[in-house]
Amino acid sequence: MNKLPEPKQPEKLIDEKGLRIDGRRLDQLRPLKLEVGLLDKADGSAYIEQGKNKILVAVYGPREAHPKHIAMPERAVIRCRYHMAPFSVDERKSPAPSRREMELSKVIRESLEPVVLTDLYPRTTIDVFIEVLQSDGGSRCAGITAASLALADAGIPMKELVAACAVGKIQGKMALDLSDAEDKYGDADLPVALVPNMGLVTLLQMDGNLTTAEFEQGLSMAMEACKTIHSMQRETLKKKYATIKDAVEEREEPEIVA
Amino acid sequence: MEQKTVVDLVTKGKRIDERGLESYRPIQIQVGLIEKANGSAQVYLGKSKVLAGIKIETGEPFPDTPEEGVLTVNAELVPLASPSFEMGPPSEAAIELSRVVDRGIRESKAIDLKSLVIQKGKKVQVVYVDVYVLDHDGNLIDAASMAALAALANSKVAKMEMKGDEVIEKGGHHQLPLNNHPVAVTFAKIDKTIVVDPSLEEEQVMSARLTVTIDKNGHLCAMQKGGLYGFIPDELKRAVNLAVAKAAENRAKVMAAAKG
């Protein structure tokens, strides 16, 4: 057997100094890396690393609806597939879509719908493919953050970017952006997606055990984190266009004619 | 025309069936209709009708939880229940329904899975919760959640033991022990108003949906937002607090019915 050793349950999720197993404070995000426009064939693409999450998103469309009967006469139909690679988790996952993946595909789609101006593209589909190459805690949220970047990268008109982040409860305390171990051995998980400028929560799920006060505290922590992530999303897009602008200016330098 | 009426009424604080914005439709619960099931319950929520059946069978534990029994929740949107339900593999809506009901039961630790072990790592009891939607007039999540809880509270388990390598019935039954009583409360956002327990007509015009599942201690154990729009934080906080009160009312009805 070549099986990797199973990660063991940590003795404590928070140490005496109030730090978590990866050394973070309770209100601290994992390191976050965002990229856009890295796939050649897709109309838009994005890549996110958040902790050990490594997720690639491609957007195709607006394109002709296929099969035809799914087309809507007055707007574009967004389709979304959240899918985990077989090697993305400790135990190999069957590549067939699980019920969890089907549910997440639905709620992720519903988290993006409110910002996309679908009525501009009747009778078409916009396909969002989220491939989790390596999964850590909070992969649905990381997927949403990257998916909204990929939609923007595809040039699809949107009201705003959607940013997402989970908050959870570990050792009785609310903590931001849970890692795998914290999710597994913690007491609750509360993933949130936010459209910051509209103040609109477009994804909200919860499992575990929370009091109403803990929920309210968690919701505001998650919303703050979404705002931070949102400014990183904007920077990532700006950087891409700055790079394009530099490249174009270089090419257009006037030639000296003798 | 009808859609406009539903929205107009709600913005005036009224509803098409004359309920208050925070009122449920009448709830009726019957238990034990299916003799061949370990437990069963049928819930009428207004005109929505959901039947839940519990089957408890001997099986193997999951390799990563050798000291726990198994809980499986499935929901079927049976084609006879609505012109919009089709034959074939489970739809997204059916999967979401079963996973939201499952989350409430699992996360509240309603079933003591450790008590379902017959032989550690080898044989356990498997609890199948099958939710059957028979008539769809809206808010299937709450109807299914109450039906599942009533059916579990109504369930009997055969006493089992190992004889050599075989599992045999010792004879006799006992009540399936329940540690918690999770109840889902669902809200719909119609225009800028939040209503509880949306009917089908209201679901057709809602922009977003929120389910909050509350356990018997008044704590949240599951949430799910659905629909193509979202909620502002104040709406969420109000809904969560209202859910605690509504869940307590509905839980009392479910548990009273389950006792028979």
Side-chain angles (χ1 to χ4, degrees):
Chain A
M1 281 285 278
N2 289 321
K3 229 178 114 192
L4 292 168
E6 285 262 336
K8 281 204 190 95
Q9 176 163 9
E11 259 180 52
K12 284 183 200 164
L13 294 172
I14 306 174
D15 69 11
E16 303 76 32
K17 291 178 194 154
L19 297 178
R20 296 151 70 175
I21 37 182
D22 52 8
R24 283 185 292 153
R25 296 185 315 272
L26 289 173
D27 62 349
Q28 199 176 351
L29 285 166
R30 288 169 291 180
L32 186 66
K33 184 181 147 195
L34 297 170
E35 260 181 78
V36 288
L38 55 151
L39 294 178
D40 182 53
K41 292 292 176 291
D43 295 312
S45 58
Y47 176 70
I48 183 168
E49 283 185 14
Q50 188 169 3
K52 292 198 182 83
N53 280 310
K54 296 181 199 295
I55 301 171
L56 197 51
V57 181
V59 168
Y60 283 86
R63 59 180 176 181
E64 193 177 341
H66 187 81
K68 269 203 171 114
H69 68 84
I70 65 163
M72 303 276 276
E74 75 289 4
R75 65 178 181 95
V77 172
I78 300 180
R79 291 189 296 185
C80 177
R81 184 175 100 135
Y82 164 99
H83 185 249
M84 293 173 92
F87 44 76
S88 64
V89 278
D90 290 327
E91 292 258 332
R92 179 182 183 266
K93 187 206 146 286
S94 155
S98 65
R99 292 160 75 87
R100 173 180 172 276
E101 287 166 298
M102 290 176 76
E103 183 204 351
L104 293 190
S105 300
K106 176 179 187 289
V107 294
I108 292 171
R109 188 190 76 229
E110 291 171 338
S111 79
L112 299 169
E113 284 259 8
V115 297
V116 180
L117 299 175
T118 49
D119 45 357
L120 295 179
Y121 304 101
R123 298 183 182 283
T124 64
T125 58
I126 298 169
D127 290 324
V128 180
F129 299 120
I130 302 172
E131 284 294 331
V132 180
L133 306 178
Q134 181 166 276
S135 134
D136 199 350
S139 68
R140 84 197 65 178
C141 289
I144 290 170
T145 300
S148 81
L149 274 181
L151 283 163
D153 184 53
I156 291 168
M158 293 156 78
K159 292 181 193 163
E160 175 63 296
L161 291 165
V162 185
C165 188
V167 61
K169 185 161 85 168
I170 50 173
Q171 277 179 29
K173 292 204 169 96
M174 298 308 288
L176 193 65
D177 194 19
L178 298 193
S179 66
D180 243 352
E182 291 174 328
D183 187 18
K184 191 167 176 195
Y185 302 111
D187 313 317
D189 184 29
L190 178 73
V192 173
L194 180 73
V195 186
N197 293 0
M198 296 160 77
L200 198 68
V201 175
T202 61
L203 173 126
L204 183 71
Q205 294 184 289
M206 189 285 223
D207 61 71
N209 185 309
L210 289 181
T211 65
T212 51
E214 286 167 340
F215 165 73
E216 292 186 11
Q217 188 201 346
L219 180 64
S220 38
M221 282 171 79
M223 287 177 61
E224 277 311 305
C226 288
K227 287 174 193 164
T228 309
I229 293 170
H230 181 251
S231 57
M232 294 174 75
Q233 287 173 303
R234 291 181 66 102
E235 285 311 309
T236 307
L237 280 177
K238 276 191 202 160
K239 206 162 61 188
K240 175 194 164 187
Y241 290 107
T243 318
I244 293 174
K245 188 169 156 254
D246 290 348
V248 170
E249 278 170 1
E250 228 162 74
R251 212 180 302 155
E252 283 177 355
E253 215 128 290
E255 282 174 33
I256 299 155
V257 185
Chain B
M1 193 60 204
E2 194 178 75
Q3 296 200 347
K4 201 173 165 293
T5 316
V6 175
V7 179
D8 283 349
L9 280 172
V10 165
T11 51
K12 287 178 200 141
K14 293 178 183 166
R15 295 174 82 170
I16 195 149
D17 52 11
E18 302 182 336
R19 274 185 288 164
L21 298 180
E22 298 180 356
S23 304
Y24 265 82
R25 291 168 287 177
I27 298 169
Q28 278 178 44
I29 304 159
Q30 296 162 279
V31 295
L33 299 108
I34 308 293
E35 291 91 343
K36 293 200 172 179
N38 294 71
S40 61
Q42 180 166 273
V43 169
Y44 279 95
L45 180 54
K47 288 182 200 148
S48 281
K49 182 173 168 182
V50 172
L51 174 65
I54 312 292
K55 284 294 225 181
I56 302 175
E57 294 178 353
T58 306
E60 284 171 17
F62 287 115
D64 55 340
T65 51
E67 291 175 52
E68 289 183 7
V70 175
L71 165 69
T72 304
V73 180
N74 184 53
E76 293 284 331
L77 301 181
V78 191
L80 62 75
S82 164
S84 64
F85 295 168
E86 287 180 28
M87 292 181 286
S91 63
E92 230 177 22
I95 289 171
E96 184 180 43
L97 176 61
S98 60
R99 288 187 53 89
V100 174
V101 174
D102 180 292
R103 209 174 292 152
I105 299 168
R106 196 176 300 278
E107 298 295 329
S108 68
K109 303 187 170 67
I111 300 175
D112 181 6
L113 293 176
K114 291 202 162 61
S115 75
L116 300 177
V117 177
I118 303 166
Q119 190 183 35
K120 201 173 125 184
K122 295 240 168 77
K123 293 287 175 198
V124 297
Q125 311 255 35
V126 182
V127 178
Y128 294 94
V129 179
D130 282 290
V131 169
Y132 234 56
V133 174
L134 300 179
D135 216 343
H136 173 26
D137 193 40
N139 196 11
L140 296 177
I141 295 179
D142 294 2
S145 149
M146 287 188 277
L149 177 59
L152 285 170
N154 170 251
S155 287
K156 292 201 165 37
V157 199
K159 291 182 180 159
M160 297 288 191
E161 65 180 356
M162 294 297 290
K163 199 167 191 183
D165 280 346
E166 273 183 66
V167 181
I168 55 155
E169 288 197 26
K170 262 200 276 191
H173 290 76
H174 62 88
Q175 198 74 26
L176 176 70
L178 282 191
N179 292 333
N180 211 331
H181 307 143
V183 172
V185 177
T186 296
F187 302 88
K189 182 168 172 172
I190 297 172
D191 194 35
K192 290 184 177 98
T193 308
I194 308 284
V195 301
V196 77
D197 178 32
S199 66
L200 183 62
E201 282 167 318
E202 290 171 329
E203 283 184 351
Q204 281 161 349
V205 298
M206 71 181 176
S207 61
R209 188 197 74 213
L210 178 73
T211 299
V212 185
T213 306
I214 303 289
D215 73 6
K216 68 176 181 186
N217 305 312
H219 292 182
L220 289 78
C221 57
M223 291 177 91
Q224 181 89 337
K225 177 246 154 190
L228 301 187
Y229 199 63
F231 293 91
I232 58 172
D234 279 348
E235 292 169 337
L236 295 174
K237 290 174 192 170
R238 260 201 7 219
V240 164
N241 283 299
L242 184 56
V244 175
K246 290 288 157 192
E249 287 172 20
N250 292 350
R251 181 178 306 108
K253 287 180 193 163
V254 171
M255 298 317 287
K259 269 185 196 150

